[in-house]
Amino acid sequence: MPSLLERYASFLPITDRTPRITLGEGATPLVRSLWLERETGIDEVWLKCEGANPTGSFKDRGMVVAVAKALETGSRAVLCASTGNTAASAAAYAARAGLPCTVVLPAGYVAVGKLVQAIAFGARIVAVRGAFDAALAIVRELGESGEATLVNSINPHRIEGQKTAALEICEALGDAPDALFIPVGNAGNITAYWRGFTQAHDAGIARSKPRLYGFQAEGAAPIVRGMPVADPRTVATAIRIGAPASWAGAVRARDESGGAIEAVSDEEIMDAYREVARHDGVFCEPASAAAIAGLRKRASVRATKDTRRAVCVLTGNGLKDPDTARSLAGELLEVDATADAVRRALALA
Ligand code: AN7
């Protein structure tokens, strides 16, 4: 399979001189959810499983473009702030490109799987006593010196790469879906999907464009509230963001597509997180489950009655956050190593 940069060269800001780096990003599975079709009454519900990307999240699509362009322009290092997935992805692609990578994280609020990826890929890691928003302000300032290329989604190449997921969806379905459900944190991805669907339409890959429905966590819902949130709180640490950098892009995606940006509670997120794994065999991280929680919430008030075909974007792999997964169960049953003892334990379980 040709790499993402090769497949989508005509849609991306790359030249003959852009190094065609790859870790095998993109071309992720689109899996049908019979469970959500039953529950919502929608004819077709599809899950775009972005956790299947090389570092386990959608960030790889944008990072491969951002790091390739950094190489092309002679950059000597990359730098980002992150709730975790951007850091894991930046660290991996920087390693691949032979560039040093610095990541600034909100102390205490990065899921352990993401942190260990940044460590494994050899990033320089600094945790700050503040939320993601403070970390982003810091790397913006550090980036001004020009020593390192900022690879947060304020780097326009990130959005360009991430839009390829929308192109893939249109290719797989033969058209755009009626509605797309997606979590919103820093709001880069919803911005990227809208650009991707618009360009798919212009290029004749899709006859229609979808309505985009974005979901923030109730305790971290600045776009829904219409003002920044100083102390964002949610179990979904990936989207624990109070002042999204791509706010305007998200509002444009919402309004031009005729969609909405709404809030879901941590309980709704955790319920969707557990149920999609148990019914569909798809293990996503809590932030990703916000998309499913949002779809279920709209369906429960019949707000999906004009939707025949829906796609939920599952942005990250469940293995990223083993602590949250482990908290779903209590102590394991532990018994003597005999069939009898196991049979007795199972009778109690
Ligand atoms: C799994 O890694 O912001 O709205 O620093 O990791 O484009 O920010 C991650 C965001 C959704 C939200 N799902 O996407 C970071 C970071 C997962 C994520 C989002 C993130 P944006």
Side-chain angles (χ1 to χ4, degrees):
M1 165 82 82
S3 71
L4 186 143
L5 294 185
E6 290 164 336
R7 271 186 295 138
Y8 293 112
S10 67
F11 288 91
L12 294 172
I14 61 177
T15 71
D16 294 345
R17 292 180 315 283
T18 312
R20 299 299 197 261
I21 59 173
T22 184
L23 289 170
E25 58 291 325
T28 54
L30 192 62
V31 175
R32 207 160 161 168
S33 173
L34 303 179
W35 161 61
L36 283 168
E37 289 172 5
R38 266 195 316 275
E39 180 176 304
T40 62
I42 298 171
D43 293 345
E44 290 179 32
V45 179
W46 298 88
L47 310 175
K48 182 63 170 165
C49 297
E50 290 290 285
N53 275 296
T55 75
S57 86
F58 71 97
K59 304 286 184 183
D60 295 341
R61 294 179 183 277
M63 204 57 72
V64 71
V65 181
V67 172
K69 293 303 282 187
L71 279 176
E72 181 182 350
T73 54
S75 170
R76 307 276 298 277
V78 299
L79 167 71
C80 68
S82 181
T83 58
N85 279 326
T86 297
S89 186
Y93 284 88
R96 189 72 182 185
L99 298 174
C101 174
T102 299
V103 303
V104 181
L105 309 174
Y109 289 94
V110 173
V112 68
K114 306 172 187 181
L115 184 60
V116 300
Q117 286 179 291
I119 293 169
F121 295 127
R124 273 200 303 177
I125 304 169
V126 182
V128 295
R129 295 182 205 104
F132 166 83
D133 309 285
L136 184 61
I138 290 165
V139 296
R140 278 186 198 258
E141 196 176 325
L142 297 181
E144 278 167 12
S145 73
E147 278 165 49
T149 301
L150 196 57
V151 294
N152 281 103
S153 56
I154 48 183
N155 176 327
H157 302 313
R158 281 276 315 280
I159 305 281
E160 287 295 312
Q162 284 172 209
K163 80 184 178 195
T164 59
L167 296 167
E168 285 179 14
I169 290 169
C170 293
E171 287 161 0
L173 297 178
D175 197 356
D178 301 316
L180 183 99
F181 296 78
I182 184 169
V184 174
N186 213 23
N189 212 26
I190 190 170
T191 302
Y193 269 79
W194 184 237
R195 189 176 301 170
F197 283 122
T198 301
Q199 293 183 3
H201 182 256
D202 293 347
I205 298 170
R207 288 184 304 275
S208 60
K209 287 184 269 187
R211 296 183 300 279
L212 299 199
Y213 295 98
F215 297 91
Q216 303 193 294
E218 247 169 37
I223 299 176
V224 179
R225 312 253 175 268
M227 64 175 88
V229 173
D231 180 20
R233 287 166 199 233
T234 171
V235 65
T237 52
I239 53 171
R240 186 176 167 269
I241 295 175
S246 296
W247 190 315
V251 167
R252 207 175 312 121
R254 176 193 73 192
D255 295 345
E256 289 181 8
S257 77
I261 297 179
E262 298 174 342
V264 287
S265 70
D266 276 8
E267 291 70 33
E268 290 164 334
I269 288 172
M270 286 304 291
D271 196 57
Y273 168 74
R274 196 176 46 237
E275 296 301 314
V276 69
R278 293 184 178 190
H279 290 284
D280 285 330
V282 174
F283 185 27
C284 66
E285 63 175 285
S288 310
I292 294 177
L295 166 63
R296 297 173 86 192
K297 195 166 182 167
R298 289 189 67 83
S300 73
V301 295
R302 309 249 323 119
T304 52
K305 60 183 187 310
D306 297 331
T307 300
R308 208 186 59 72
R309 192 185 246 175
V311 172
C312 291
V313 183
L314 300 189
T315 45
N317 195 303
L319 290 171
K320 291 274 191 176
D321 189 352
D323 293 330
T324 300
R326 185 64 188 83
S327 73
L328 296 179
E331 289 294 303
L332 296 185
L333 292 171
E334 187 178 315
V335 299
D336 290 340
T338 67
D340 246 7
V342 171
R343 212 177 277 121
R344 268 196 313 269
L346 288 173
L348 294 175

